């Protein structure tokens, strides 16, 4: 029954994404780009070539970005060959998997109509489709992140201690895999304790469940930490971009966004240090300077926080810029790009409004597992106050907005079906 519902939705999602890739398929290597898409693509090339996870520009071992996406994309290249279409096909598979997972989450937290609406929304979501042609970590991270959420909402409903332990271990392992793609996934571990406590009303048990999940996550992360100790001389847990990301968001002249005015990141004295050691030292210096600024400039921090939140949710069309390399002529006439941009943003802000309606209509459910949805939005937003704002960063929680918007859509439709009170009194209401 559920397969019959999700099947046509996946076909629509597949057709739209394939059509997009046929039209738009940038090659960051051939086009000589110097951005995240090029870094991921070349790092994946080296991994597929058997060189391990190395910095594409120095050829030395690195942890400059979490390894999850380069290793995943490199594995795709090993199996299917290297190219833009292989990367795009992998993104399509990841997106279809995410739609299935989100359907299951909405089915568990809400009902079948809401699950169908959420899946349909993701299938046709313009801002999501535009990412299909990009070698960026968002599609992989979102699948892993949403899968971890599905496992989390399944914990309290799982009967039997052994089965529950299996789900918890799976949850912790998937959180770790997601964190190896983007470190923010670790937020799910403390959030999981709160959600399980509210859903089961067994707080002592929920703390124990959280400890088991954290242990499973630690086991999965351990090989990466050991590798970093051996290759970089430091047990880096996720990546060495924590410090730079904090500094970008907290320094004199910080814009609140990704743009850095008036200079580069702070650098250590390179004398006597290898490139991997320089990477670790630069991370620590940037982190120290960023945190120092944060705690000594409270007024500026309030201003920056407001900017970061605005930038984070200001647009859902940022993938257009990543595809084009900010070339206004990439899509042909300006009217084409403007139409694509407007379509994405109208869809996005409509979904946000409906998501707000869905949240308000579900306030009575904030004492069960449903509370996970608004908690994810709040935690995700708060996390990026520590770093900086960018519209790209909201991609991984679009599925949460889709579920809330599905609930809001049902509320609006139900309200529209109800006759006006005055008509009911005059006998105009129909069955």
């Amino acid at each position: 029954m559920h397969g019959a519902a999700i099947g046509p939705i996946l076909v629509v999602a597949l057709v739209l994404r394939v059509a997009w890739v046929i039209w738009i398929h940038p090659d960051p290597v051939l086009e000589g780009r110097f951005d995240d898409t090029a870094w991921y693509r070349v790092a994946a090339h080296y991994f597929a070539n058997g060189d391990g996870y190395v910095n594409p520009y120095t050829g030395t071992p690195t942890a400059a970005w979490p390894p999850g996406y380069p290793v995943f994309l490199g594995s795709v290249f090993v199996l299917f060959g290297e190219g833009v279409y292989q990367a795009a096909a992998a993104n399509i598979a990841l997106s279809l998997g995410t739609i299935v997972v989100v359907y299951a989450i909405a089915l568990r937290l809400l009902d079948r109509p809401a699950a169908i609406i959420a899946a349909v929304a993701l299938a046709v979501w313009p801002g999501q489709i535009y990412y299909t042609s990009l070698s960026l970590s968002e599609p992989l991270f979102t699948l892993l992140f949403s899968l971890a959420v599905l496992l989390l909402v399944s914990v309290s409903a799982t009967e039997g201690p052994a089965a529950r332990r299996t789900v918890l271990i799976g949850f912790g392992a998937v959180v770790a895999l997601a964190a190896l793609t983007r470190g923010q996934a670790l937020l799910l571990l403390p959030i999981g304790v709160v959600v399980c406590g509210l859903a089961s009303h067994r707080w002592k048990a929920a703390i124990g469940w959280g400890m088991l999940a954290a242990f499973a996550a630690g086991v999965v992360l351990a090989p990466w930490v050991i590798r970093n100790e051996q290759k970089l001389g430091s047990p880096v847990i996720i990546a060495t971009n924590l410090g730079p990301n904090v500094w970008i968001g907290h320094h004199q002249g910080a814009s609140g966004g990704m743009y850095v005015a008036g200079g580069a990141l702070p650098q250590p004295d390179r004398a006597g240090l290898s490139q991997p050691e320089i990477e670790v030292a630069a991370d620590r210096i940037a982190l120290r300077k960023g945190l120092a600024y944060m705690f000594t400039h409270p007024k500026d921090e309030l201003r920056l926080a407001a900017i970061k939140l605005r930038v984070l949710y200001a647009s859902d069309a940022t993938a257009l810029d990543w595809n084009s390399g900010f070339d206004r002529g990439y899509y042909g006439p300006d009217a084409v790009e403007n139409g694509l941009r407007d379509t994405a943003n109208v869809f996005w802000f409509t979904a946000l409004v409906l998501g707000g309606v869905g949240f308000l209509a579900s306030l009575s459910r904030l004492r069960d597992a449903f509370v996970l949805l608004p908690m994810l939005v709040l935690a995700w937003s708060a996390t990026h106050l520590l770093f900086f704002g960018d519209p790209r960063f909201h991609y991984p929680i679009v599925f949460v907005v889709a579920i809330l918007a599905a609930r809001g859509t049902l509320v609006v439709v139900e309200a529209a079906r109800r006759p006006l009170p005055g008509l009911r009194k005059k006998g105009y209401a129909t069955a």
Side-chain angles (χ1 to χ4, degrees):
M1 187 71 172
H2 293 162
I6 195 69
I9 299 173
L10 295 178
V11 171
V12 171
L14 174 63
V15 169
L16 291 173
R17 284 157 177 78
V18 169
W20 175 262
V21 172
I22 291 173
W23 181 39
I24 301 296
H25 42 269
D27 190 324
V29 177
L30 290 180
E31 294 172 12
R33 299 191 182 188
F34 189 75
D35 59 17
D36 291 10
T37 63
W39 201 97
Y40 281 130
R41 174 71 183 280
V42 181
H45 164 80
Y46 279 112
F47 182 83
N49 199 45
D51 297 313
Y53 185 41
V54 298
N55 187 312
Y57 306 115
T58 63
T60 55
T62 188
W65 272 290
Y69 183 64
V71 170
F72 168 80
L73 186 58
S75 301
V76 170
F77 290 164
V78 169
L79 294 173
F80 304 105
E82 182 173 347
V84 294
Y85 289 110
Q86 287 87 338
N91 283 342
I92 292 173
L94 293 169
S95 297
L96 297 182
T98 300
I99 292 171
V100 173
V101 171
V102 171
Y103 176 85
I105 294 171
L107 199 62
R108 186 169 291 278
L109 290 180
L110 296 170
D111 51 31
R112 190 165 178 267
I116 292 173
I117 294 172
V120 168
L122 284 181
V124 303
W125 201 291
Q128 300 275 295
I129 294 171
Y130 299 165
Y131 270 90
T132 309
S133 47
L134 293 169
S135 53
L136 290 173
S137 62
E138 276 76 7
L140 174 62
F141 177 78
T142 304
L143 174 59
L144 293 171
F145 193 66
S146 61
L147 180 58
V149 169
L150 176 59
L151 291 169
L152 176 56
V153 299
S154 301
V155 170
S156 59
T158 302
E159 297 182 1
R164 186 177 293 115
R165 282 195 295 270
T166 300
V167 174
L168 286 165
I169 291 171
F171 166 66
V174 174
V175 166
L177 292 175
L180 287 172
T181 307
R182 277 197 175 187
Q184 293 96 320
L186 294 175
L187 288 169
L188 284 174
L189 293 175
I191 288 175
V193 173
V194 176
V195 171
C196 287
L198 289 172
S200 67
H201 305 290
R202 299 164 57 192
W203 286 97
K204 185 175 181 180
I207 293 172
W209 297 345
M211 293 174 65
L212 177 59
F215 176 78
V219 170
V220 174
L221 291 172
W224 172 245
V225 175
I226 293 170
R227 176 265 186 192
N228 290 337
E229 176 64 43
Q230 294 173 344
K231 299 289 187 180
L232 279 69
S234 174
V236 176
I237 297 176
I238 302 295
T240 56
N241 63 352
L242 174 63
N245 285 337
V246 170
W247 181 85
I248 289 172
H250 307 275
H251 68 274
Q252 189 68 41
S255 66
M258 188 182 299
Y259 175 71
V260 177
L265 291 164
Q267 294 293 319
D269 181 359
R270 295 172 175 251
L273 297 179
S274 66
Q275 179 58 38
E277 292 171 335
I278 291 171
E279 184 180 301
V280 172
D283 175 43
R284 292 174 177 170
I285 290 174
L287 179 61
R288 184 171 65 252
K289 288 181 176 293
L291 291 176
Y293 186 88
M294 185 188 310
F295 289 110
T296 55
H297 296 77
K299 291 183 179 179
D300 200 30
E301 285 298 307
L302 290 175
R303 178 185 64 84
L304 288 171
I307 294 173
K308 291 172 186 178
L309 287 176
R310 179 182 60 80
V311 173
L312 181 61
Y313 297 107
S315 170
D316 200 42
T318 186
L320 294 175
D321 299 320
W322 285 93
N323 274 295
S324 69
F326 293 87
D327 177 5
R328 281 294 298 182
Y330 190 82
Y331 300 96
D334 284 351
V336 175
E337 179 173 342
N338 292 338
L340 291 169
R341 197 173 297 277
D342 291 343
T343 299
N345 286 331
V346 168
F347 196 101
W348 169 239
F349 289 112
T350 301
L352 286 179
V353 171
L354 289 172
V357 173
F359 169 71
L360 293 175
S362 306
L363 289 175
S364 62
R365 297 198 53 196
L366 295 185
R367 293 187 178 183
D368 61 32
F370 181 87
V371 74
L372 174 61
L373 299 180
M375 281 185 66
L376 285 174
V377 175
L378 288 174
W380 194 262
S381 302
T383 298
H384 287 87
L385 297 183
L386 178 62
F387 306 124
F388 55 92
D390 190 272
R392 174 183 162 194
F393 296 157
H394 74 242
Y395 180 104
I397 59 166
V398 162
F399 78 89
V400 179
V401 177
I403 296 173
L404 290 170
R407 169 69 173 139
T409 300
L410 291 172
V411 170
V412 170
V413 170
E414 178 61 28
R417 286 178 175 175
R418 294 174 184 170
L420 295 174
L423 294 178
R424 185 181 296 113
K425 291 179 181 179
K426 294 178 180 181
Y428 294 122
T430 57

